[in-house]
Structures are given as C-alpha cells and as structure tokens.
Amino acid sequence: MLITQTQIVLTGTLLLGIAAGMVGTFAVLRRRALAGDVVAHAALPGLCLAFLAFQSRSIIVLLSGALLSGLLGAVTVSMLKRFTRLRDDAVQGIVLSVFYGGGIALTRSIQNTHRNDSGADLESFIVGQAATMLKGDVQQIAVVVAVTVIIVVMLFKELKLLSFDEQFCQVQGWSATGLDVLLMLLTAVIVVVGLPAVGVVLTAALLIIPPAAARFWSDRLSRMMMIACVIGGISGVTGTLLSARYDGLPTGPLIVLTSTAIFVLSWVLAPHRGLLWKSREVTDLESFLPWVESDAAEPPAPTTSGSPGSAQEIS
Amino acid sequence: MVQTYSENAVLPGRGVPIPFDGLTTQLAEMLELPATDVQNAFWTMAVGALCAVCCSLSGCFLVLRRISLLGDALSHSVLAGTAGVYLVTGRVDPVPMLLGAMAAGMVTAVMTQFVHKAAQLPEDSSIGIVFTSLFAFGVVVVSQAKHVHLDLDCVLFGDLAFAGVNLHPVFGWLVPESFRSLVPTLMITLLLLAVFWKELRLTSFDPTLAVTLGFSATVMHYLLTTVVAIVTVSAMEVVGLLVVALLIVPAAIARLLTDRLSTMLVLSCLIGISCTTIGYLLALRWNSSAAGLTAVVAGAELLIAIVVSPRNGLLGRLIRTARLRVRICAEDVLAGLFRRQERSDAPDGLVQASVSECYALAGGGIMSMAALRWLLSRQLLQQAGSVMSLSETGLRYARSMVRSHRLWEAYLKENFNLPPDHLHDPAEDMEHFIGPGVQQQITEDLSQSAEDPHGRAIPDVKTQEVS
Amino acid sequence: MTESAENTNSAIFDIHDMTVAYDRRPVLWNIDLTLRNPGLVAIVGPNGAGKSTMIRAAMGLVPMVSGAVRAWGAPISSQLTRIGYVPQRGSVDWDFPISVFETVLMGTYGSLGWFRRPGGVQRDLTMQCLERVGMQDFAQRQIGQLSGGQQQRVFLARALAQQAELYFMDEPMAGVDAATERVVFKLLQSLSDEGRTIVVVHHDLRTVSEYFDEVVLLNVRIVTSGPVATTFTPANLQATYGGRLSILDTMADAVQKQVETE
C-alpha cells in the first residue's frame, strides 16, 4: 500500500516536473520568470472561494477556482502596468502580496468558522503536501500535462519565434498577443496543477530553476527544453523519494532543493558555460597558448544588448 | 472579539506602569467594552502602525529604485537565516536569529546579483532561483524543529492579532514585546534617511547621474538592502510573509499621488498606518487574519488611488478628456459660424443659425449638447428663441480659431511636404491647441501670414485691439 | 479625387497623414509618403527625428494616433507576407539559445503558416540566404558568438529568407565594420536589381548619393522626398538638420498638457 502511494506521488511529481520544465523554458527566456510566482500567489484566494462556494474538497473544483483567480492576478498585472505609471516590479509585488493576503485572510476565517480540519487542508496548499496525492489527482495531472506537451510541440515554432524576437513575430503576421496569452495560460495551468504538491510559495521554483540549469548545457532551444524537462522530472522524483525516505520532510521544498542542487552542479560542471570550463579556458588558452589571441579578430559580441521589449528610445 | 486572547494578557497595575493606561481605560468605558480588550487593541494597532512606518519608509526606495521584488525575496529568505542559526546552535535565541536573518537577507541580495552576472541569467530568474531555494531550505529545517518554538505558521501568516497581548517591561514601562525590535528598527531607518538623505534621493531617481557625481550607487544599494533586511526581519514577527505588502503597496500608492520624495515618504507612512489599523479592525470583526486583511486593505486603497488620484487618476483623466472634447466641439461651432459669416459678407455679429444647425456643426451627439451649453454659459453664443448668433466675445474667439486653423495650414504648407488636399485635416485637429503665443510664433516664422494655402484671408485678431 | 485614389492604389507603398505619439506627445507629424518605383530608398534625418518610429509605425509595431498605411493598394496588415523587416540589432537578446541557421530559418515561418514545420525547401533556402551574406560557415554557431557585423548579416539573411517584395531595414549599417558594409550594399543593390523596394533607415550622409535611388528627409515631419539627384541638396539637408522646429516642440507640449490638465 505504501509503495503504491509512493508510486502515485512519484508519477505525479515526475509529470509535474516535466511540464514545468517545458513551460518554464519559455518563461525564463522571455524574462517572465516571476509571472509564475505571481500567478501562484494570486491563486490562493480563488482556491478558498471555490471551497467556500462548493463546500467541496474535490481537487478539480479547488484548482478551477485557483486557476481563475490566478489568471485574474495575471490580468491585474497587465492592467496596472497599462493604466498606472507603476513599474513592472512594483506591480508584480502588489498583485502578489494583495492576492496572497486575501487568500490568507480567507484561509484563516475558514479555519475559524469550519471547526473541522478543512482550514488546515487549505493551508497545505501554501507549502504543498505531495504525499497526500490521490490516484485521481495524478490522473488529472497527467491529462493536463499531456495537453500542455501537445500544445507546446504543435506550436514550438511559433513560441520560439515569439520568445526570440517578438517584433519579427508580429511583422510576419502572427498574433504576438495571442501567443503571449497562450503562454501565460499554460504557465498558469502548470502553476495551479503544481499547487497541491509544491504549494503557493514554491511553485515558481519549478518553472525557473530547471530551465535556468538547462541553459548551461545547451545553446539550442529544443535541447535546452528537453534538458529542462529531464531536470524537472529528476527533481520531482528525487524530492519525492527523499521525502518518503525521511519521514516528515515536506516534499515541495525537497523538490526545489534538488533542482537547486542540479542548478549549482550544472553551473560548475557544464561545458562552455560552466565555471570549471571557463576557468580552464582562461588558464589554458590565454596564458599558455598566446596565438589563440588571433581568434580575437572577431571578438564575441557583448552579451548584454538591452532587454528586448523594454521601452526603447524614440528615434 | 479578542476575548479568546485576553486571558494571556499581562494584567495592568502590578507595579510596572503601562503607557496610555488611563486613555485606554477611558475609551473602554466610553465603548462599554472590557478594559483589557481595548488595551490589547490599542497596543496591537500601535505595533501595526510602527511596523507600517518602518516598512513604508524603506519600501519607498524599493519602489523608486525598481527593486520591489527584492523585498519579496528578502522576506522569504529571512526564514532560511533563522532556520540556519537554529540548525547551528540548536536553540531559539532572538538575537542570534535576528543576526542570522539579516545575514540571509544580505546573502540574498549578493547572490541575486552574483547569479545574474556570473551565470549570465536574466535578473528576474536569478531572484527567483535564490529566494525559492533559501525558502525551501528554511521550510525543511523548520519542519524538523517541531519541538521548539519556530513557527512556520507565524512566518506564513504573521500574528498581528497577538502583538498587543504580550506586554513586556522595557525601561520601566510595559510595552508590547515587538517594540523591542521595531523601535530600534525605526531608529535605524530614520538614521539612514537622515544621514544619506541627499544620496538616497539622488541614487533613487537617477542612478547614472549619481554615479557620475561620485556617489556609489552600489554602496547605496547594499546599504538600503541591509536596512530593508532589518525591517523585514522585525516586521515579519508581526505580519509574516505579508511584509511585502507593507513594503510595496503603501509606497506605490504614495508614488501615484506625488512626485516629491519627502511627501511620498510621509504619505506612504500614513497609508501604511491606515492599512494595518483598518486591517486589524476588520480582522476582529470577521475573525480572520489581520496581516492578510492588511494586505487586502492596502490593495483596496491602491484601487481607490488609481481611480480618484487628482493628477493621474482614471476618473480625473476621464473628466479631463470629456472636457477637452466638449471644448473642441464648441470651438468647431464657433469656427463654423465664423466661416459662414465670411461667406455671407454680412456685418460682424449678425450671422445667425438655428439650434439644430449649431448642433450639426458641433458634430452631433451628447458632446455637442454639452458644447452648446458650454458656449451659452460663457456667452460666446446668444440664443433668441431657436436662433443662435455669435456674441462680441464669441466673434473674437471664433476669429482666433479660424486664424489658428489657417496659420497652421500655412505653416504645414511651408514646412511639411504635404499635398494641398492634405492640409485641412491636420489643421482641424491642431487648431484647438494653438494659443496666442503659438499664433505669434507661427506668424513670425511664416514668410507671409495674410493668406492661407487655399487663398483665403487669415483673419487678424490684432486689428481691433490696435484701434 | 478618383485620379488621386488610383495613383495611391498603383503605389507600392503609401503612408497617408500618419501621426504617432508617445505618451500623448506627438513625435511624428502628419507623415505623407508614397513610393511608386522599386529601388533603394534611404530615410535620413538627425537623431530623435523619428526615423525608426516611422517604419515601426508603418509595420504596426507602434500604434498610430491617426493615418493609414497601404501597400499595393491594400491595408498593410493584409500584405505582411510580402514585406520583410530587419530590426535594430539591439532589439533581441543575443544570448538566446539559438543557432545562426535557426535564426535565418525563422524568415520562412511567415510563408509556412500555423503548425507546419520547416522542411527541406526551407532549409535549402536558408542555406542560400546564408551564402548570399557570406555566413554559411557560421551556420551552427550560437548567435551570441558572432561579432556585431556578423549579427547584422544574420538579420539580413533572415530578411532574405522572407522572400519579400518590400523591405524595411532599421539602421542595418549601424556599428558594422567596413567589410560588412560593402557586403550589405552589394546585397541591397542586387535586391534592387531584382525589382524589389528596400527602405533603409540610414545615418551615413556620405554614402547616400552613392548607393540610393530615392531619399526621404525626415525630422519629426517629412521635409521632402524624391530622387536623390534632385532631393539630396544642401538646402534640403540644411532644412532637415538645421535644428528642430521649435513651434512643433511647443505644440507637442501644448497637446500633451491640454490632455493632462484641461
């Protein structure tokens, strides 16, 4: 029985890690890494309201509520950016904290009015509790992940174009806004599906850390995405196993810490972009092989070229 | 209400005096509530206000320097600091834990920059990596430390509601426990403001200029980060992770309301205090989380500010746009009547038009009705029955409008490479924005200002004033 | 009126009364421009004159306050597949995980449409385009490993892969080495010889008469436009570069302030 339960949780976190790595790749490259964090925090009040409205603990009901309020949060971010002179960072901070505050307030009053443990149940969404995943939950996660993977694969070309050069995407006649909304939607769905396992505060990590680690290993988007999926999957599985092995350690944080460890390892070990490789390059090539200087006839361009999409000068 | 907590309260009158004791007792009698409840509420609000002031003051600079999310990151990583200290010492001592939390704050700030620069990752990703990792570490440690008081709930939710309950003697007075960390924090914040006021202002509004003037923006960045870390640590005892709301939202509201740094600081403090106070009172009423409701109140206040802010508010903008459109419609009527008069060769002021004709000149619709009323109320138009005519001032106004229109056409003709049939439309748009000063400028700029490109005379407003 | 409408319809490209504003402050005033003959067209003007803004607004990347843009007689949004674009080099993240080949391949996406993957035809075309700009040896490099001039050539190759009839290029010669500049001009010339129209935002006045057929002199409004021989005169240049029109600045302030403080 214990083994099957572990297997169920393992499947769930594995699938979650893969999907998050996939969607997160685009989020990181588009500099929308923290959008997932905002959605996750913004999802909490919807979760509570869904519980209050339907008096149900069915995961699909709760997560639908969460998805709706998460998307409302994302919309609020873009509205605030459009109609006020507040900057991106302040807007994200505002939406994140106000929605989260609303969620906390609702959780508390649910806890105080429903004397059963439903409040505590909702609280488990804040740091996550993968160990309680049920077979039905995992089946639902599997469906969501499958849909996500299909959409990303079908639209890989378009999403790649959007991420690299939004303007070029637009002048070729693609709807950049439409693709942007789709990407936001996928991110929100993955974040919300991840809530029961990893929780509000840490879901963003699943979206950010595996792609960031994968970036060290490849210079090609398709490969980077696959590596991000693998890292996400490994983190999910390892975190779950560790949590099962050492009873009482929470799953979500362990998954995050595993991916952090992989990130650090990648940073040190990866060829070309890794720290070891770089230090070897510096010592070997420059100090011992002076003729490699000739390669500098065409020096690599500076990598900082201004953030795309930021307000450029007028000319 | 607060009865559930009041059993734990330290009872007054055991030798150590409580400040404002008389006041709260009086208030309790007035409201016919138990004295301890009122006292608890009073002190809780005081703690909340203190917390709000500390957060708002430092938060203003986070918002201005566009590093609001660093506040978010700091609030998460602070848990790792306290947890780390617990892991090393195995005990729960306030002072080492405070230091550990501050250290974690610094590590977050430094690591974020390091990951961003050394690993060539976008800044938002590096913030995300650092704070989630540290928070995850904190949660893991805390989950293993159930037998001691290291409360994850407190971090996640804060417990403002209890802040006024535990009174402790400090310098011969009984005050809330959190004062012991919040008062020094406030002093540190004020000290930073007092000493580095000029530098902070400069580096917040224009980092590049600051560097060229010799102030190190980096030093100020880390100094500010340290203070924010201190603020976060002491405020988190009270409001938990929602310290972010107090850091950012009041400052952002103040930013919407003013462009002056000093005004912004004062405003944000007042807004912050109102958020914690109202949030706490609502929490009492609804039996819910004070920290959570503080954030919600802050969000509501932001919404109000966005709608009604005098200069940039949506409502104000809407009204201004409507007024502008009314004026434009009205001016179109005046100009239309003037042209009609030109064609009819009638003497000044005699041209007449029916109400419906004027209405058509204004373009129709609600705006046109408002425009006609605007004209009548300013006595630019005179109404006799259903017939309208230009008044003396109306005629002058109309002449000026047509002059603007034709001057602009002439100006376009000379300076813009536009075909003759493309001149009217731009002039129709711009005539409403050309005042006497610009008319003068254009007249001086043009080689001739007697006729417009279509050969019509440009009416001169000055001829009458000369005589 | 019908005659002028017909003229407009026969034009390759036509901007009618375009005004563009940032934050309600006009930065381009009443632009009227019609291109009838294929060839190389330079947009020339001082910094801050709105050269990039003009082509970006024409392509729908920046919203217009008023005006209409047509290509071959139809609204430009319906003609995008026939139009190529070379943005400024700084507009993308050069650390993006993508190779030179993949970048150029993106030029073929527009003709592919939704869902379809690029196949052999597109790959062959991509290689040809890379060869035309002399970058075939760098096909598998990550784009961040190129020099500025090479990056510019990749962008050009990508535009070639669009196989467009009308091109807009935003400062393709900015910050490139002399070798790249020659390659670029040769390429533009051959595109022009094939009967295409290329509109280039250009900053180097010395090379205008050497390479371009037509010139548009721009300084927040079009000062004048026409064949280089008759238009690119010292008097017109003086009118373009001799300072901004202070009246336009005053008016821009007035418009912005009126809307804000009525």
Side-chain angles (χ1 to χ4, degrees):
Chain A
M1 185 59 208
L2 183 74
I3 293 165
T4 25
Q5 177 57 24
T6 312
Q7 278 171 346
I8 288 171
V9 177
L10 272 178
T11 321
T13 49
L14 173 73
L15 290 174
L16 194 63
I18 290 172
M22 198 168 223
V23 176
T25 302
F26 292 112
V28 166
L29 289 175
R30 298 212 68 207
R31 326 221 154 172
R32 300 271 171 81
L34 293 172
D37 197 33
V38 175
V39 171
H41 283 78
L44 191 59
L47 203 86
C48 300
L49 287 175
F51 173 80
L52 280 177
F54 298 99
Q55 293 295 329
S56 149
R57 274 190 233 172
S58 145
I59 199 105
I60 206 89
V61 170
L62 293 183
L63 292 192
S64 305
L67 183 62
L68 282 181
S69 78
L71 287 175
L72 183 67
V75 171
T76 315
V77 166
S78 55
M79 297 294 263
L80 283 179
K81 269 197 284 196
R82 188 148 163 220
F83 290 114
T84 71
R85 55 180 179 163
L86 294 173
R87 299 289 174 172
D88 214 11
D89 61 302
V91 166
Q92 288 189 344
I94 289 166
V95 172
L96 183 149
S97 57
V98 171
F99 274 74
Y100 181 68
I104 294 292
L106 284 170
T107 317
R108 256 303 139 86
S109 44
I110 290 172
Q111 222 172 2
N112 291 344
T113 47
H114 299 62
R115 275 296 167 197
N116 51 21
D117 51 15
S118 45
D121 235 28
L122 290 176
E123 248 176 57
S124 76
F125 282 99
I126 292 170
V127 280
Q129 212 167 49
T132 56
M133 260 190 218
L134 302 175
K135 202 170 165 195
D137 302 346
V138 173
Q139 278 167 349
Q140 282 156 3
I141 291 179
V143 172
V144 171
V145 168
V147 172
T148 309
V149 171
I150 289 171
I151 291 178
V152 171
V153 170
M154 294 275 285
L155 289 174
F156 184 71
K157 179 186 75 183
E158 287 80 3
L159 292 174
K160 177 164 141 184
L161 183 57
L162 176 81
S163 309
F164 175 58
D165 193 343
E166 192 172 332
Q167 290 177 13
F168 195 70
C169 176
Q170 220 171 322
V171 299
Q172 275 196 314
W174 307 94
S175 164
T177 330
L179 286 169
D180 206 33
V181 169
L182 177 78
L183 210 50
M184 194 66 232
L185 202 67
L186 289 179
T187 313
V189 167
I190 296 302
V191 162
V192 166
V193 168
L195 286 182
V198 201
V200 164
V201 190
L202 288 174
T203 311
L206 285 189
L207 288 171
I208 305 172
I209 304 179
R215 182 67 188 90
F216 290 114
W217 296 98
S218 178
D219 272 340
R220 296 286 179 283
L221 180 63
S222 46
R223 241 173 283 161
M224 173 185 163
M225 201 166 83
M226 280 186 265
I227 296 170
C229 292
V230 171
I231 294 177
I234 291 176
S235 309
V237 169
T238 316
T240 312
L241 287 177
L242 283 175
S243 154
R245 172 78 182 73
Y246 303 98
D247 202 28
L249 285 179
T251 322
L254 284 178
I255 294 176
V256 174
L257 286 179
T258 313
S259 62
T260 310
I262 298 178
F263 172 80
V264 173
L265 280 180
S266 308
W267 190 1
V268 175
L269 298 177
H272 301 293
R273 291 172 83 93
L275 288 176
L276 279 182
W277 185 280
K278 274 189 189 157
S279 64
R280 205 190 63 179
E281 212 167 45
V282 171
T283 47
D284 281 1
L285 299 183
E286 267 173 36
S287 44
F288 298 115
L289 308 171
W291 60 86
V292 292
E293 282 282 310
S294 63
D295 202 43
E298 283 178 335
T303 45
T304 50
S305 47
S307 53
S310 72
Q312 293 285 332
E313 36 70 78
I314 287 166
S315 161
Chain B
M1 275 177 56
V2 272
Q3 294 89 326
T4 33
Y5 314 135
S6 54
E7 293 127 40
N8 313 329
V10 176
L11 292 170
R14 277 207 217 131
V16 192
I18 302 177
F20 307 109
D21 195 18
L23 188 82
T24 50
T25 324
Q26 254 182 357
L27 206 64
E29 278 164 18
M30 260 167 62
L31 298 171
E32 296 175 10
L33 288 170
T36 42
D37 282 5
V38 175
Q39 197 171 50
N40 287 341
F42 173 80
W43 283 116
T44 306
M45 285 192 263
V47 169
L50 198 56
C51 208
V53 170
C54 293
C55 288
S56 304
L57 287 179
S58 45
C60 280
F61 294 100
L62 289 182
V63 169
L64 284 176
R65 298 171 64 103
R66 303 177 195 177
I67 48 171
S68 313
L69 291 170
L70 191 62
D72 186 32
L74 284 177
S75 64
H76 285 83
S77 50
V78 154
L79 179 68
T82 40
V85 169
Y86 169 76
L87 210 59
V88 174
T89 63
R91 286 184 302 137
V92 183
D93 287 334
V95 175
M97 286 203 158
L98 205 69
L99 290 175
M102 272 172 56
M106 290 309 294
V107 166
T108 311
V110 174
M111 279 303 286
T112 308
Q113 283 306 307
F114 182 64
V115 173
H116 169 49
K117 298 239 164 75
Q120 294 173 20
L121 284 169
E123 198 163 7
D124 59 338
S125 295
S126 69
I127 291 181
I129 293 167
V130 172
F131 89 78
T132 51
S133 303
L134 285 172
F135 188 74
F137 168 75
V139 173
V140 167
V141 174
V142 168
S143 71
Q144 288 312 95
K146 287 204 176 93
H147 53 288
V148 294
H149 174 75
L150 233 183
D151 199 356
L152 184 60
D153 273 14
C154 166
V155 172
L156 292 173
F157 312 111
D159 50 6
L160 182 56
F162 298 92
V165 176
N166 301 319
L167 299 187
H168 282 256
V170 174
F171 298 123
W173 295 89
L174 267 185
V175 291
E177 194 179 7
S178 351
F179 270 37
R180 286 194 297 193
S181 54
L182 282 174
V183 172
T185 304
L186 180 63
M187 306 242 252
I188 292 171
T189 315
L190 290 175
L191 190 72
L192 175 88
L193 284 181
V195 176
F196 294 105
W197 173 255
K198 193 171 60 179
E199 287 81 355
L200 271 173
R201 193 168 63 178
L202 202 59
T203 50
S204 297
F205 283 107
D206 192 350
T208 23
L209 176 72
V211 172
T212 56
L213 290 182
F215 298 114
S216 169
T218 321
V219 171
M220 290 316 295
H221 177 79
Y222 283 113
L223 206 60
L224 186 66
T225 313
T226 317
V227 172
V228 174
I230 295 173
V231 170
T232 314
V233 174
S234 26
M236 268 187 83
E237 288 178 34
V238 186
V239 286
L241 273 188
L242 284 164
V243 62
V244 193
L246 276 184
L247 278 172
I248 301 172
V249 188
I253 300 173
R255 178 78 191 95
L256 287 180
L257 298 178
T258 178
D259 279 332
R260 281 178 58 91
L261 180 60
S262 47
T263 322
M264 184 177 162
L265 287 170
V266 174
L267 266 179
S268 68
C269 288
L270 294 177
I271 294 165
I273 292 173
S274 75
C275 292
T276 49
T277 311
I278 300 174
Y280 169 67
L281 292 174
L282 287 179
L284 284 184
R285 182 116 188 78
W286 294 337
N287 196 8
S288 180
S289 151
L293 285 170
T294 296
V296 173
V297 170
E301 289 188 7
L302 176 73
L303 214 60
I304 295 171
I306 289 172
V307 175
V308 302
S309 142
R311 274 206 13 239
N312 297 293
L314 289 181
L315 201 65
R317 238 190 268 173
L318 217 66
I319 292 172
R320 281 197 297 272
T321 315
R323 272 205 204 139
L324 180 67
R325 280 177 60 195
V326 168
R327 180 167 70 81
I328 287 175
C329 289
E331 290 177 350
D332 285 343
V333 175
L334 292 178
L337 288 176
F338 185 84
R339 290 203 178 90
R340 178 183 286 209
Q341 173 162 325
E342 268 186 332
R343 281 196 298 271
S344 72
D345 283 330
D348 281 4
L350 283 182
V351 76
Q352 294 181 332
S354 68
V355 173
S356 60
E357 279 173 317
C358 290
Y359 186 68
L361 279 174
I366 300 170
M367 284 298 170
S368 307
M369 281 156 65
L372 290 189
R373 197 175 306 152
W374 190 85
L375 286 167
L376 288 170
S377 72
R378 271 152 220 257
Q379 291 171 340
L380 296 168
L381 273 189
Q382 295 157 340
Q383 187 170 19
S386 67
V387 178
M388 304 273 223
S389 61
L390 285 173
S391 71
E392 189 74 12
T393 41
L395 185 66
R396 225 176 300 138
Y397 198 131
R399 187 180 285 122
S400 175
M401 286 315 299
V402 175
R403 176 176 169 78
S404 294
H405 181 97
R406 291 180 185 164
L407 277 176
W408 192 249
E409 282 188 338
Y411 184 75
L412 289 182
K413 178 72 188 161
E414 274 194 15
N415 292 286
F416 284 49
N417 185 33
L418 286 173
D421 61 328
H422 285 191
L423 295 174
H424 178 77
D425 291 345
E428 197 64 24
D429 289 336
M430 292 315 294
E431 62 182 15
H432 308 287
F433 300 103
I434 298 176
V438 182
Q439 282 185 358
Q440 181 65 32
Q441 251 181 302
I442 297 175
T443 319
E444 283 163 14
D445 198 77
L446 288 174
S447 53
Q448 62 86 19
S449 58
E451 277 189 352
D452 76 358
H454 308 292
R456 284 185 289 254
I458 297 178
D460 200 338
V461 276
K462 278 208 188 115
T463 46
Q464 293 175 334
E465 286 159 50
V466 171
S467 60
Chain C
M1 222 39 227
T2 45
E3 200 187 344
S4 102
E6 249 169 53
N7 273 344
T8 311
N9 277 343
S10 69
I12 296 167
F13 175 66
D14 177 66
I15 301 180
H16 176 74
D17 192 26
M18 175 171 86
T19 295
V20 179
Y22 281 120
D23 198 19
R24 295 191 287 270
R25 186 188 167 90
V27 290
L28 276 179
W29 295 80
N30 311 110
I31 301 295
D32 238 60
L33 177 69
T34 308
L35 299 178
R36 290 206 167 74
N37 308 312
L40 282 171
V41 182
I43 299 178
V44 172
N47 280 335
K51 304 185 292 285
S52 296
T53 305
M54 187 174 114
I55 62 171
R56 285 161 55 80
M59 299 209 67
L61 291 172
V62 175
M64 295 185 287
V65 175
S66 69
V69 182
R70 300 172 82 81
W72 300 285
I76 195 162
S77 53
S78 66
Q79 302 283 13
L80 288 173
T81 45
R82 297 166 74 184
I83 299 171
Y85 178 50
V86 178
Q88 275 182 6
R89 206 151 46 82
S91 66
V92 301
D93 168 21
W94 289 96
D95 198 37
F96 197 87
I98 191 171
S99 69
V100 168
F101 185 84
E102 286 175 292
T103 310
V104 176
L105 194 59
M106 282 182 172
T108 66
Y109 284 7
S111 59
L112 276 174
W114 292 96
F115 306 119
R116 273 185 59 203
R117 292 294 163 94
V121 182
Q122 284 76 25
R123 290 176 180 278
D124 291 345
L125 174 66
T126 301
M127 253 353 253
Q128 284 165 22
C129 295
L130 276 172
E131 278 161 26
R132 266 183 98 170
V133 297
M135 289 290 292
Q136 65 277 21
D137 298 337
F138 296 86
Q140 292 312 317
R141 286 264 190 106
Q142 197 264 333
I143 48 167
Q145 297 165 355
L146 304 176
S147 71
Q150 291 170 330
Q151 290 176 342
Q152 199 63 61
R153 284 197 243 173
V154 172
F155 264 9
L156 275 167
R158 184 177 69 170
L160 288 180
Q162 288 184 279
Q163 296 188 298
E165 294 155 67
L166 170 63
Y167 282 102
F168 291 99
M169 304 191 178
D170 203 343
E171 303 242 13
M173 258 72 83
V176 304
D177 48 299
T180 302
E181 191 171 303
R182 277 193 302 279
V183 170
V184 171
F185 272 125
K186 230 180 85 194
L187 190 74
L188 295 187
Q189 201 60 57
S190 70
L191 283 174
S192 164
D193 292 343
E194 291 163 17
R196 302 175 209 262
T197 305
I198 305 103
V199 180
V200 181
V201 171
H202 198 58
H203 63 282
D204 185 4
L205 293 178
R206 288 166 305 174
T207 48
V208 169
S209 10
E210 190 181 343
Y211 292 107
F212 290 93
D213 304 317
E214 287 190 42
V215 66
V216 177
L217 292 172
L218 185 84
N219 188 355
V220 270
R221 87 288 182 198
I222 289 187
V223 177
T224 179
S225 64
V228 170
T230 53
T231 312
F232 199 65
T233 60
N236 283 339
L237 280 174
Q238 175 59 35
T240 314
Y241 283 84
R244 294 166 72 110
L245 300 178
S246 62
I247 289 173
L248 287 185
D249 278 340
T250 322
M251 285 303 293
D253 286 340
V255 171
Q256 193 179 24
K257 240 172 70 192
Q258 285 283 359
V259 181
E260 270 175 14
T261 62
E262 168 76 14

